[in-house]
Amino acid sequence: MRALAEYIMRGRMQAIFVVAGAAALPMLFWLSAAAGSLVLLRRGLNDALGVLSWGVLPALAWWYFGDPRTLLVLLGSLALALLLRSQGSWPRVMLCSVGLGMLYAWGLGMVFGESITALASELQKALPSVLSDAYQQLSPEEQARLESLLAPVLTGLLAALLQIVTLLSLMLGRYWQALLYNPGGFAEEFRALRLSPLLAMLLLAGMLLGPSIGVQMAMLAPICSVPLVFAGAALVHGLVAQKRMSRFWLVGLYVTLVLFMQLVYPLLAVMAIVDSLFDFRGRASPDGGAGPANGEG
């Protein structure tokens, strides 16, 4: 990882090669976004613009051929990187990622709207057998409403997945920046990530009340959950570091997240909400630290 980061920062041509090359290759758009975020975080928008524009060109080509993911993740990561560089606030980055998720949902709906509708129709046919008696106990109006929520929720899930990839790409770029110029800086930043009570409650309201606002707003549920899950993961990282526990606990966290996502994912969101109210790390937080991950402040 360090060797790749050093290569990217070695010069303009090397950065262009990685940003544009990764954007042009299938399934490597996350690497392009991470490399572009590193250049933007370190050099600033004016110096990085010439490099980043070369990455946008293959991303536009992918959109033309029916795949908007490369352009969405690349531009989303760069927008969040610009915000992080100017304000240095991960909670604000998490909040703005919700807006990006909504934009992603709009873009995915434009490109994959028919496919999502077709998938929702297949799931609609399977609902009676999947839910069995619970489905039969619903009134016809409740059944119709449940079925109408399928397409927006599917769109929201796809958008949330891109939202997660965007945040991970930005974090990889920030990690590279800290690795080169301020070792340990990103770890301190991530462990300190905590949402304010107001922000946590707003995200919770978006998850729970989105479907009540309107059918299309049901996509808010998965999109609003993403910042909470990242904050929950940061809480675990912070507690493990404070208690000087083995990294085995972090490995176990992510292994169980992959194997039992339907259980661990909402648990992390709940942990983030509770932590926003009680601040489990604040009372035992050590003073000092490595400082900002950019190594410049």
Side-chain angles (χ1 to χ4, degrees), residues 30-43:
W30 57 271
L31 179 59
S32 175
S37 297
L38 170 61
V39 175
L40 179 55
L41 286 168
R42 182 62 182 176
R43 301 298 185 192

Side-chain angles (χ1 to χ4, degrees), residues 18-88:
V18 176
V19 173
L25 294 174
M27 302 306 295
L28 284 181
F29 54 88
W30 57 271
L31 179 59
S32 175
S37 297
L38 170 61
V39 175
L40 179 55
L41 286 168
R42 182 62 182 176
R43 301 298 185 192
L45 181 60
N46 291 335
D47 291 345
L49 200 56
V51 173
L52 303 177
S53 59
W54 285 98
V56 172
L57 293 178
L60 287 171
W62 277 112
W63 187 300
Y64 177 79
F65 288 109
D67 187 354
R69 294 174 300 171
T70 302
L71 185 63
L72 292 175
V73 171
L74 178 59
L75 294 182
S77 297
L78 297 178
L80 295 182
L82 189 61
L83 175 65
L84 182 61
R85 177 181 169 85
S86 63
Q87 300 190 11

Side-chain angles (χ1 to χ4, degrees), residues 98-285:
V98 175
L100 280 179
M102 297 297 291
L103 289 176
Y104 291 168
W106 171 77
L108 292 171
M110 279 203 332
V111 178
F112 300 122
E114 294 183 2
S115 300
I116 293 173
T117 302
L119 179 58
S121 298
E122 294 301 319
L123 291 176
Q124 179 180 335
K125 297 176 183 177
L127 280 179
S129 59
V130 172
L131 300 180
S132 62
D133 293 339
Y135 184 82
Q136 301 300 329
Q137 293 175 1
L138 296 175
S139 66
E141 293 79 10
E142 292 173 331
Q143 292 179 3
R145 178 168 179 77
L146 177 62
E147 294 168 357
S148 68
L149 293 175
L150 290 176
V153 170
L154 286 174
T155 304
L157 286 172
L158 293 175
L161 181 59
L162 289 186
Q163 183 184 356
I164 291 171
V165 174
T166 298
L167 288 169
L168 291 177
S169 298
L170 173 62
M171 288 181 173
L172 179 57
R174 190 66 158 178
Y175 167 75
W176 280 340
Q177 184 188 18
L179 190 65
L180 295 178
Y181 307 109
N182 184 30
F186 173 71
E188 292 293 330
E189 281 189 355
F190 184 66
R191 291 169 188 161
L193 170 60
R194 173 176 170 266
L195 303 179
S196 68
L198 176 60
L199 178 54
M201 292 303 109
L202 287 175
L203 293 172
L204 179 62
M207 292 174 57
L208 299 179
L209 303 180
S212 301
I213 299 174
V215 172
Q216 292 302 318
M217 297 306 290
M219 67 179 64
L220 274 176
I223 292 173
C224 288
S225 71
V226 172
L228 292 171
V229 171
F230 273 90
L235 170 63
V236 176
H237 277 260
L239 292 177
V240 168
Q242 284 185 7
K243 304 299 182 181
R244 303 182 185 275
M245 300 166 65
S246 169
R247 291 192 176 184
F248 169 80
W249 292 98
L250 298 179
V251 174
L253 168 66
Y254 292 109
V255 170
T256 53
L257 179 59
V258 172
L259 296 179
F260 307 102
M261 181 172 291
Q262 69 275 17
L263 297 177
V264 180
Y265 189 94
L267 177 61
L268 288 175
V270 171
M271 289 171 60
I273 294 171
V274 176
D275 180 58
S276 72
L277 300 173
F278 296 101
D279 190 10
F280 297 120
R281 292 159 290 181
R283 298 179 180 85
S285 178

